[in-house]
Amino acid sequence: RNAFERDEQWEVNSLVGLVADIGKPWPRGDKPGTFPKDRQTLFSYDLIIMGEVPRSMIKDEELDWIRTFVETRAGGVIFIAGQYGLLRKYTQGPLAALLPVQPLPAGQSAGSDAMPRQLTLTETGAGLGALTLDSDTDENRRLWESLRPPHWVAPVKALPGSETLIEASSGASRTPALVFRRFGAGKVLYAAFDESWRWRYEVADLHHTRYWNQVGNWIMEKPFSVRAKHVWLDLDKTTYNPRDKAQVRLRLRDKDGT
């Protein structure tokens, strides 16, 4: 949250739900500090980052909005697992189809019984611009392996149709740490750890902020410069020379926003 709020290119609405607040729902509305009051308000967002949110904090109808936000609105969602294991509660219900991983019982992955020693890019992850922290491919791999690993990684298995981008290793064992999948028109990213702040050690925001900006821009849909009720429009450049070709992106929506 702090990394995004410090960056002027992002407009952030953050909601905090403590375990002690289970049963105390967030206020609904269209102002900062409130959960979107209706589907139309939710659809005005580009990216949702969801961490350890108690299942009781969000209504089933609102979870349906989030699913549709990804599937038809082409929005992006990033899930961040934590040691309370609250994301496991969403493997049943409207968000089940979004999650690119299946939780495993404790003891069935490297992250559940030993502290990870390092994070390693997979072949897919190494070729992804969003995970590029250094322009040199080999140096980028070494950089990821040198970052301070999390103390804990959620024991999960990547589901068919998803792609593991980063693995956490503990001895000879490896477990998925960052998993991606497409869902309908949108994208979903699952982080099996919540300690990316450890990458700030001795280098401040050098890697941490770059990572979150790149990942956020990749997972969310590229913004449209013009939005009306039924028509969204954008061009690939702001200025053109004579005889240049222009790439036009156009989205048409019905009365339900589909």
Side-chain angles (χ1 to χ4, degrees):
R1 179 192 62 188
N2 293 342
F4 282 112
E5 287 182 340
R6 284 194 295 265
D7 193 323
E8 293 183 355
Q9 73 172 315
W10 297 99
E11 182 181 349
V12 180
N13 176 27
S14 64
L15 298 170
V16 178
L18 303 177
V19 174
D21 292 335
I22 291 178
K24 300 177 183 178
W26 288 310
R28 270 55 178 175
D30 55 6
K31 301 290 190 299
T34 64
F35 190 90
K37 63 181 181 180
D38 51 33
R39 195 173 78 156
Q40 183 179 357
T41 304
L42 180 72
F43 277 28
S44 69
Y45 288 78
D46 296 307
L47 177 68
I48 297 172
I49 300 179
M50 182 171 169
E52 292 270 85
V53 180
R55 178 67 175 79
S56 60
M57 301 291 285
I58 310 179
K59 304 172 185 176
D60 282 349
E61 178 188 23
E62 294 165 339
L63 294 176
D64 279 325
W65 298 348
I66 294 175
R67 173 178 170 146
T68 307
F69 168 78
V70 179
E71 187 173 23
T72 64
R73 155 69 175 83
V77 172
I78 300 175
F79 293 103
I80 304 177
Q83 296 189 45
Y84 285 111
L86 297 185
L87 283 183
R88 288 173 173 261
K89 304 293 185 181
Y90 295 91
T91 57
Q92 303 292 326
L95 294 190
L98 262 65
L99 291 167
V101 299
Q102 175 185 332
L104 297 175
Q108 290 195 18
S109 81
S112 62
D113 54 13
M115 180 176 171
R117 296 181 181 176
Q118 67 179 21
L119 298 174
T120 305
L121 291 172
T122 64
E123 288 300 320
T124 302
L128 190 65
L131 299 182
T132 299
L133 301 180
D134 191 285
S135 57
D136 181 86
T137 302
D138 293 334
E139 185 59 33
N140 190 53
R141 285 183 179 273
R142 286 192 291 268
L143 179 55
W144 273 100
E145 292 172 0
S146 71
L147 294 176
R148 291 208 156 193
H151 289 102
W152 172 91
V153 174
V156 295
K157 177 179 72 173
L159 292 174
S162 62
E163 298 176 286
T164 299
L165 307 177
I166 296 177
E167 293 177 322
S169 61
S170 178
S173 301
R174 293 192 172 191
T175 186
L178 193 69
V179 185
F180 165 76
R181 72 164 300 188
R182 294 184 179 275
F183 184 77
K187 301 173 184 174
V188 179
L189 190 68
Y190 175 90
F193 61 97
D194 61 355
E195 295 179 305
S196 61
W197 53 267
R198 285 172 56 81
W199 304 342
R200 302 182 74 251
Y201 179 71
E202 293 187 338
V203 293
D205 285 335
L206 179 62
H207 306 311
H208 182 255
T209 297
R210 180 171 180 177
Y211 166 81
W212 278 110
N213 273 318
Q214 291 178 173
V215 163
N217 277 298
W218 170 51
I219 292 299
M220 76 177 197
E221 182 181 35
K222 186 178 179 182
F224 287 80
S225 58
V226 176
R227 293 188 184 189
K229 184 175 182 180
H230 299 296
V231 180
W232 294 14
L233 183 68
D234 196 45
L235 298 170
D236 59 334
K237 295 188 292 186
T238 56
T239 59
Y240 296 88
N241 295 316
R243 304 192 181 210
D244 280 353
K245 292 184 177 181
Q247 181 180 2
V248 180
R249 288 194 304 137
L250 176 66
R251 166 157 295 155
L252 302 177
R253 295 190 178 278
D254 62 19
K255 61 182 178 61
D256 297 319
T258 303

